[in-house]
Amino acid sequence: MGHARLLLSVLLLTGTAAVSHEFWIEPKEYVLDPGAPLDAALLNGQNFEGISLAWFDHRFSRFETAQGDTRTAVAGRIGDTPALQGTAPEEEGLLVILHETTPSTLTYTDWEKFLAFAAHKDFPNAARDHVAAGWSQEKFRESYTRHAKALVAIGAGEGDDRAYGMETEFVALTNPYASGFDGQMRLRVMYRDTPRADAQVEIFDRDPDGDVTVSLTRTDAAGEATVQVTPGHSYLFDAVVLRPAPEAGTSERAPVWETLWAALTFAVPE
């Protein structure tokens, strides 16, 4: 892949990209014939470049595919890489891959890194709330979970995405594989089954040469946004919820913050 070209100069100035690691589902192919091999990696990294994570069932609470009303658990063996190795359905239509992780934790020992992360993900009150709660600025923990979806076309790929009850998730309101798609990708950001108004969405746009550009948009009062997308490109949308951890203050080792990362990946056929 080519080098990422960041459009966000503020990220270059603050170095916030270094403290943010996205997680996403990346199918080997986004458009498949019915019954063809279906492989998809779970990737963790930055700027739409990352390492492939193996299949370990204790690391996820949900891993399945959905096509219409049919949902199928992803089967795997410990260590499978890519994590999803299966077969596409025999029926044409839009296939949605769903993955939610179990909680992981990280420890901050640098207050400035937390401030940079909060600024990058647009949580301007995080520092004030942290100090007001009396939490340590020298060493504290965060718990995080990932809530990822990918859109794959089986055959013509017609069909609709929907909310699948994730704690936070993207819902594609338009289908990039559908006939007549006009290049306007409409989306909704959900949190606890409710649209998130005025939420920041980070957009990673990868061209056929592997070069990545990054931009931001925001959802409107209905929790929706529209992004102009380009044929031949693949996309990762990212949105983060930052909230106090429910166990904050119960012990010195308890996380004080909790982050929930929503991700959506898809490609736009040429």
Side-chain angles (χ1 to χ4, degrees):
M1 295 182 182
H3 294 294
R5 298 193 303 266
L6 294 182
L7 297 182
L8 306 176
S9 59
V10 65
L11 298 187
L12 297 176
L13 291 172
T14 63
T16 51
V19 297
S20 174
H21 291 80
E22 280 71 38
F23 175 98
W24 66 98
I25 303 167
E26 188 160 316
K28 183 177 181 180
E29 301 289 343
Y30 282 95
V31 179
L32 296 171
D33 291 330
L38 170 63
D39 294 336
L42 305 176
L43 295 181
N44 182 232
Q46 301 175 44
N47 302 322
F48 220 172
E49 297 184 14
I51 60 172
S52 182
L53 306 179
W55 195 97
F56 288 100
D57 56 5
H58 69 278
R59 292 180 179 173
F60 61 84
S61 59
R62 181 178 189 179
F63 198 3
E64 63 187 25
T65 61
Q67 187 180 42
D69 294 325
T70 302
R71 300 187 191 182
T72 305
V74 171
R77 296 178 299 178
I78 292 175
D80 277 353
T81 308
L84 192 162
Q85 301 178 32
T87 304
E90 294 293 341
E91 182 178 349
E92 292 196 3
L94 181 68
L95 184 74
V96 183
I97 306 172
L98 309 162
H99 187 89
E100 291 189 280
T101 68
T102 52
S104 297
T105 59
L106 62 85
T107 300
Y108 280 100
T109 56
D110 185 338
W111 176 241
E112 295 302 321
K113 283 189 176 180
F114 175 73
L115 296 182
F117 169 75
H120 179 194
K121 294 303 183 183
D122 190 39
F123 295 100
N125 298 326
R128 181 200 65 190
D129 294 344
H130 188 106
V131 173
W135 298 330
S136 170
Q137 297 175 42
E138 297 179 357
K139 184 178 182 180
F140 57 94
R141 305 184 80 191
E142 171 196 309
S143 173
Y144 60 92
T145 52
R146 313 293 195 155
H147 310 265
K149 299 171 72 171
L151 307 180
V152 177
I154 308 302
E158 299 286 344
D160 300 312
D161 186 23
R162 65 184 71 173
Y164 288 96
M166 291 179 163
E167 184 79 352
T168 184
E169 67 180 298
F170 283 97
V171 177
L173 302 178
T174 47
N175 180 346
Y177 310 111
S179 60
F181 177 64
D182 63 0
Q184 300 293 316
M185 190 68 182
R186 294 178 54 236
L187 59 97
R188 180 181 296 129
V189 180
M190 304 290 290
Y191 172 53
R192 290 184 167 176
D193 297 319
T194 301
R196 281 186 67 197
D198 196 34
Q200 176 178 288
V201 176
E202 194 162 7
I203 303 157
F204 299 84
D205 176 341
R206 185 167 61 208
D207 70 17
D209 294 326
D211 291 325
V212 177
T213 56
V214 186
S215 59
L216 298 176
T217 191
R218 304 192 73 83
T219 61
D220 60 18
E224 299 177 8
T226 300
V227 178
Q228 175 71 46
V229 295
T230 304
H233 290 217
S234 55
Y235 290 87
L236 162 62
F237 294 164
D238 172 87
V240 177
V241 172
L242 176 67
R243 66 189 186 190
E247 60 267 50
T250 59
S251 72
E252 289 186 358
R253 291 185 54 80
V256 298
W257 288 107
E258 186 174 28
T259 53
L260 297 83
W261 299 66
L264 175 70
T265 43
F266 62 93
V268 183
E270 296 190 75

